[in-house]
Amino acid sequence: MKMKKVLLVILGAALVGASVHTFAGNKKLMTVNAAKVIAERAVVESVIGLKVRSRESVEDLIAQEVRVDAKTAAAIKGIEYTDIVYDPDKDIGQVEASIQLGKVSNIVGKNIDYGGQTIKRFGFATSTPAMAGPLQALRAAELDAYKQLAKVIVGFEIDSKTSVRDYLLESDDVRARMMAAIYGADLVDYRWDEDGNGYVKMRLRFGQVEDVLNQKLNYDDEVIEVEGVGAQVDDFREAPTGGIGMAATVGRGAEIREGIIDVPVSSGVGGQTRDTNGAGGGVDLLR
């Protein structure tokens, strides 16, 4: 009888151990894989490029809208992950991806020989919606930086209509529009402020910009640097929270290590989540 009890205890312990191993959580794997996908997209946007369209409007000197839509698509291989960090307390993954480049055909069909240059970009992601606010603010800042680069180098259109009657401003409408293809931008720095707003500093050589009409831009080999900003909370309206998009990927490089990722989140930070299937909306700029 004692032998049976001992065997039952051993068997029970073995089953518990097997159960823990078999049903281990997948949150870490999902988060890290999502960060890999975001890092891969960042590499594509730097190397191949992206098409950006923006519109901004002011009515009677009151801010109305700032919208940036961006799209990229490319077949790419050879990306390696040089650093992978997972913060288990915040459920945030940070991945640094790199690629060694030879000859590349970019988004406007221009062939560029990078001569073995290595490009590195990063990606953040989470599988916990409440932690997504600062990450989304950083992505918004990235698109704002692309918009600023395009407006400075390629230019933009301004439409303005103003009416004054009896010395009083009756109406004042301003619209700014821009469309451009950008490639070769380098990410210089990123940060968050105490309010959780994201900031991204990007640098681009003038000679690496063309507009979507393929007009030739004769700039000298000058460099411009801008800092984009993005918010995680919409002060003008409330929006329902959503999930984080995920896509499967394979790649080579670093092992996952656990550590603290310097992203300013807390249990009270939710922010609004937005559709992560496209930057800024459902406009397909590549059609």
Side-chain angles (χ1 to χ4, degrees), residues 105-127:
S105 178
N106 66 20
I107 200 164
V108 294
K110 184 177 181 179
N111 295 320
I112 300 176
D113 189 353
Y114 285 90
Q117 179 182 352
T118 297
I119 299 293
K120 291 186 177 181
R121 291 295 303 270
F122 71 90
F124 289 97
T126 181
S127 52

Side-chain angles (χ1 to χ4, degrees), residues 30 55 85 106 118 146-147 156 163 173 178 185 192 240 243:
M30 294 285 284
R55 62 175 182 264
V85 185
N106 66 20
T118 297
Y146 278 122
K147 179 200 73 176
F156 57 98
S163 296
D173 296 338
M178 179 276 302
W192 290 270

Side-chain angles (χ1 to χ4, degrees), residues 3-26:
M3 183 63 70
K4 286 186 177 180
K5 286 184 178 180
V6 172
L7 288 173
L8 286 174
V9 170
I10 294 174
L11 181 59
L15 287 174
V16 170
S19 177
V20 171
H21 177 75
T22 302
F23 297 101
N26 61 350

Side-chain angles (χ1 to χ4, degrees), residues 42-49 76 99 101 104 106 114 119 183-184:
V43 170
V44 169
E45 288 180 346
S46 281
V47 176
I48 306 299
I76 194 167
I99 187 171
L101 298 171
V104 175
N106 66 20
Y114 285 90
I119 299 293
Y183 53 93

Side-chain angles (χ1 to χ4, degrees), residues 44-58:
V44 169
E45 288 180 346
S46 281
V47 176
I48 306 299
L50 70 162
K51 293 184 178 180
V52 180
R53 179 167 65 184
S54 74
R55 62 175 182 264
E56 302 159 275
S57 61
V58 180

Side-chain angles (χ1 to χ4, degrees), residues 108 154-155 179-182 209-217:
V108 294
V154 177
M179 184 179 291
I182 298 180
V209 177
E210 294 183 31
D211 66 15
V212 293
L213 300 178
N214 294 325
Q215 292 178 322
K216 190 174 181 180
L217 304 177

Side-chain angles (χ1 to χ4, degrees), residues 217-228:
L217 304 177
N218 296 318
Y219 287 112
D220 294 330
D221 196 25
E222 300 181 44
V223 176
I224 183 173
E225 191 171 285
V226 301
E227 185 173 60

